Amino acid sequence: MKIRRLALIAFPAALGIGALGATLPAHAATPAAVNITHHCTKTSMSNLQLQREDTGQISVDFGVDMARHTAGVTWKVKETRNGVAFVNRTTRTIADGSFSISSLLPPKSLNHIVATATNPATGETCSIGASI
């Protein structure tokens, strides 16, 4: 008798929890963080880190690490979300031959980020993309 009563209580509760899960926003199914490292067209490495903050905002960190530790190397950087640029600037490497650019974007249901850096002196290009 107790088992039957428990089943009568637990089954509807399980259905309610299942229905609640079906109503979660679409972005809840996407990863909370993405970290990708990729080879550039020559010897440098690029890294893209995306993270959904507790506020819903998207944290974007893009950087390039040159194989040679040379400060002051110029890179042209462009970052887009869903095809719309949010970074379009020139930056320079620090003493260890790297640079990093961080951005915080307002939340959207679709967040496909593509980051590209080009070294105008050598023609080396780094391009990396991910979705969160």
Side-chain angles (χ1 to χ4, degrees):
M1 188 79 159
K2 283 187 177 184
I3 294 175
R4 187 176 209 183
R5 189 177 311 152
L6 181 59
L8 290 173
I9 294 169
F11 184 69
L15 284 177
I17 291 170
L20 177 64
T23 63
L24 291 175
H27 66 78
T30 61
V34 175
N35 186 354
I36 301 172
T37 301
H38 194 268
H39 288 277
C40 301
T41 58
K42 293 191 179 182
T43 58
S44 300
M45 296 289 292
S46 61
N47 180 263
L48 178 64
Q49 297 176 12
L50 308 176
Q51 181 171 331
R52 188 176 300 278
E53 302 293 328
D54 292 340
T55 61
Q57 292 182 308
I58 307 299
S59 170
V60 179
D61 294 305
F62 171 62
V64 171
D65 188 6
M66 298 175 54
R68 296 183 65 190
H69 294 217
T70 307
V73 176
T74 300
W75 288 83
K76 292 183 179 182
V77 180
K78 183 175 183 179
E79 297 178 49
T80 63
R81 174 170 60 176
N82 307 331
V84 178
F86 62 91
V87 170
N88 195 0
R89 70 180 217 195
T90 300
T91 191
R92 293 183 183 275
T93 58
I94 60 174
D96 68 358
S98 70
F99 73 82
S100 179
I101 297 175
S102 298
S103 304
L104 195 58
L105 304 175
K108 286 191 175 185
S109 59
L110 177 62
N111 296 286
H112 181 68
I113 309 296
V114 176
T116 303
T118 304
N119 179 330
T122 65
E124 182 173 21
T125 300
C126 307
S127 187
I128 193 167
S131 295
I132 188 168

